[in-house]
Amino acid sequence: MNKKIAILGASYLQLPLVLKAKENNLEVHCFAWDDEKAVCKKFADYFYDISVVETEKILEKSREIGINGIATIATDVCIPTMAKIAKNLNLNGNSTECANLTTNKGLMRSCFHENKIPSPKFKVINSDNEIEMDNLKFPVIVKPTDRSGSLGVTKIENPATLKNAIEASINFSLSKSCIVEEFITGAEVSVETISYKGQHKIITVTDKTITKEPYFVELAHHQPSQHTDSIIERIHEIAVQILNATKVENGASHIELKITNDGNIYAIEIGSRMGGDFIGSDLVELSTGFDYLQAVIDVALNRYKNDVQLKLNKFSGVYFLSKNTEKLLPYFDDYKKFNFDIIKKEIQNKELIKVKSSNDRSGFLIYQANKKIDLL
């Protein structure tokens, strides 16, 4: 009898995981709202029109099904539900404490400070709070405590526009709260990791290209990072500290850091799931040869061998199409040849607009090469 896996979410973000589960001859049970974004519906063996935050309903159905594992990738909203179901059904996963520490940015920031992990000074604001900046210095970043994809994230230079930014950020938040933190100037990277029963492995480090202020939307990602060996070594050390501090035991994690011009490294946030924007689902395997999706499934089914084999030494990256990056358009022409391999490309919307969040992007292009390909 085939093993059964529950996958939370049914958008394009989860499709690589669903397809990988099908390659494994697993019986796939997918939970999400049944709307136009639920593209996984036609690939899963069973689809349930249940929101990923309706934990008790998913738990009841998962117990009835007799699932052998539960997983998600590239989204934070599913993490608390996944942790509770794993705990109640004695499946391999992370604790509810870990789920809270890696999805609530206020708790996350407190955890970093308590564990002496360098990170920005911050204050949590909710709709009932007075806006008191205490000792925070401008400029600051305002962001929802519980969202990803740059939703509701803005840089504020002075107190005059702070209130409006806070109100907008709280409107994006599921818990109606936001975090105000001091702005750290520097290069942004992410760290892609896999953990199994408390043992952590760093797979690779990703360099990011971000829009100019006041919005911070990712325009491109590249692997491997071009930082020096000494910086990469320190990134690895800090990443492991963050994993331990936030109680990560099992599965993929995506850790975001900033590196200042003078070499200081600050923790920005961690998600106890694979990175989105094709980082985990595509770039990791293209650059390292490590089957990251397979590892996520094996950890969920409690059969992972705890062995990261990096079989490739390639460069890979993804560019996102928008008004900001319209110079990419020639690379979407099928008849043109380039000195690198275009693995995937898609124009999803012919109207190009200036991006304020990742939802505003109009397409993507994924490459693999023997060197970093700089198109911007």
Side-chain angles (χ1 to χ4, degrees), residues 100-167:
N100 291 331
L101 289 173
T102 58
T103 57
N104 183 298
K105 292 179 176 63
L107 296 176
M108 190 187 300
R109 274 281 174 273
S110 296
C111 177
F112 291 164
H113 283 276
E114 288 166 6
N115 286 275
K116 295 180 171 54
I117 297 169
S119 61
K121 293 180 181 178
F122 74 102
K123 183 173 181 61
V124 175
I125 306 287
N126 61 50
S127 54
D128 298 323
N129 279 358
E130 295 269 341
I131 300 174
E132 297 177 3
M133 292 301 293
D134 298 331
N135 296 319
L136 294 188
K137 297 178 181 179
F138 285 89
V140 297
I141 293 288
V142 181
K143 62 177 75 171
T145 57
D146 50 9
R147 296 303 297 265
S148 55
S150 304
L151 291 169
V153 178
T154 52
K155 180 185 178 184
I156 302 300
E157 297 286 351
N158 56 67
T161 55
L162 180 62
K163 182 177 179 180
N164 287 342
I166 287 174
E167 289 176 353

Side-chain angles (χ1 to χ4, degrees), residues 4-6 17 26 67-72 82 86 90-93 194-196 250-251 293-304:
K4 303 172 182 179
I5 189 166
L17 184 63
L26 299 175
I67 62 171
N68 303 104
I70 185 167
T72 194
M82 197 166 74
N90 197 30
L91 301 173
N92 205 44
I194 191 73
S195 303
Y196 186 58
N250 294 291
L293 289 164
Q294 185 64 52
V296 167
I297 288 171
D298 288 342
V299 170
L301 295 176
N302 202 20
R303 66 185 190 189
Y304 184 63

Side-chain angles (χ1 to χ4, degrees), residues 66-103:
I67 62 171
N68 303 104
I70 185 167
T72 194
I73 59 173
T75 183
D76 288 332
V77 70
C78 303
I79 299 300
T81 298
M82 197 166 74
K84 184 170 182 178
I85 289 170
K87 178 182 179 181
N88 278 270
L89 300 185
N90 197 30
L91 301 173
N92 205 44
N94 287 316
S95 66
T96 52
E97 181 183 12
C98 170
N100 291 331
L101 289 173
T102 58
T103 57

